[in-house]
Amino acid sequence: MKIENAVVLVTGANRGIGLAFCRALLARGARKVYAGARDPASVTLAGVHALRLDVNQPAEVQAAVQQAADVTLLINNAGIAQPGGFLAADGEDTARRLFETNFFAMLRMSQAFAPVLKDNGGGGLLNVLSVASWVNGGELAAYSASKAAAWSLTNALRHELAAQRTQVLGLHMAYVDTDLTRGFDVPKSSPEDIVSRALDGLEAGQHEVLADAFTQQVKQGMTAPTPSYLPQPA
């Protein structure tokens, strides 16, 4: 699909990758950009429509459907992360919390806006995933598991939404220089580079974007006998 004249809703849009998406969408000629955030006052970018949206609150998701019934592209960007292994004392609680935002909220948003996209001609759905969808070294155990589930969800949605001509794209990347990774002393891509490659892929009709060299290496290595792992935070 084309970004020019599109009407886009970005979740988690007040900072990081979400904010970079909003800036890039405006620069590429999107007709309207809804910037979803739990606190609309935290959205300060000129030219976007701030939208109160906590993706974990079904009532706010349904309200967003009513307020943004003209959407032609949904970008499921909202997500959270927390270091730690599954055997930590709070391992189960952490996993439930991360799955609620990284998987179930993505499912909730996709279910809610699929009819909107259909009514508006099909449009597109872009899910922000991770190289952690494919590898789990244990340091980010629950996060990696939630992203693996989100990848599976994305693949299933691609088939389910094909009949209504909705393009579904999964965006994978390694560490990006955002608040989420501030404490990790590892190589990081800029949000602007990641977003540019994602939108290029969307406009080219791709179903998956591997947005950096490390992610491309890991995906290629999935067919090799030795698994690849994410570098661990310092």
Side-chain angles (χ1 to χ4, degrees):
M1 68 172 294
K2 297 300 181 184
I3 301 303
E4 188 174 4
N5 291 322
V7 178
V8 191
L9 169 57
V10 183
T11 67
N14 58 327
R15 61 181 182 173
I17 295 174
L19 178 58
F21 264 118
C22 290
R23 287 177 174 147
L25 289 162
L26 292 174
R28 292 189 185 217
R31 177 157 46 93
K32 185 187 295 185
V33 177
Y34 293 102
R38 285 176 292 182
D39 178 9
S42 67
V43 177
T44 58
L45 179 64
V48 301
H49 298 258
L51 189 67
R52 182 179 300 278
L53 179 57
D54 182 341
V55 294
N56 289 324
Q57 298 298 323
E60 292 193 12
V61 172
Q62 290 304 314
V65 170
Q66 299 302 315
Q67 296 174 62
D70 52 349
V71 163
T72 61
L73 171 62
L74 170 63
I75 299 181
N76 281 318
N77 166 71
I80 58 174
Q82 180 176 327
F86 283 125
L87 300 184
D90 62 347
E92 182 176 344
D93 289 341
T94 297
R96 291 183 184 278
R97 187 169 68 88
L98 267 62
F99 266 80
E100 182 60 37
T101 297
N102 296 347
F103 175 79
F104 287 108
M106 183 179 287
L107 171 59
R108 182 178 300 115
M109 287 293 298
S110 301
Q111 285 181 322
F113 276 91
V116 174
L117 296 175
K118 181 180 180 180
D119 289 344
N120 294 328
L125 175 67
L126 193 161
N127 287 342
V128 177
L129 305 172
S130 171
V131 67
S133 304
W134 307 316
V135 293
N136 195 337
E139 181 63 27
L140 294 166
Y143 175 79
S144 296
S146 69
K147 287 297 186 177
W151 176 47
S152 183
L153 169 63
T154 302
N155 292 335
L157 289 173
R158 186 174 300 113
H159 292 284
E160 291 193 53
L161 295 176
Q164 68 175 50
R165 302 182 67 182
T166 296
Q167 179 184 350
V168 177
L169 185 147
L171 170 62
H172 299 267
M173 81 291 285
Y175 292 107
V176 183
D177 191 10
T178 67
D179 290 346
L180 196 66
T181 63
R182 182 175 295 166
F184 294 176
D185 184 18
V186 294
K188 302 172 187 176
S189 300
S190 73
E192 292 75 19
D193 284 347
I194 297 300
V195 164
S196 177
R197 290 164 188 161
L199 295 181
D200 285 348
L202 185 73
E203 293 199 296
Q206 297 176 7
H207 69 271
E208 186 171 78
V209 169
L210 312 180
D212 55 51
F214 184 75
T215 300
Q216 294 165 18
Q217 177 186 350
V218 170
K219 186 67 182 289
Q220 184 178 14
M222 288 171 67
T223 60
T226 302
S228 300
Y229 293 101
L230 280 170
Q232 300 303 311

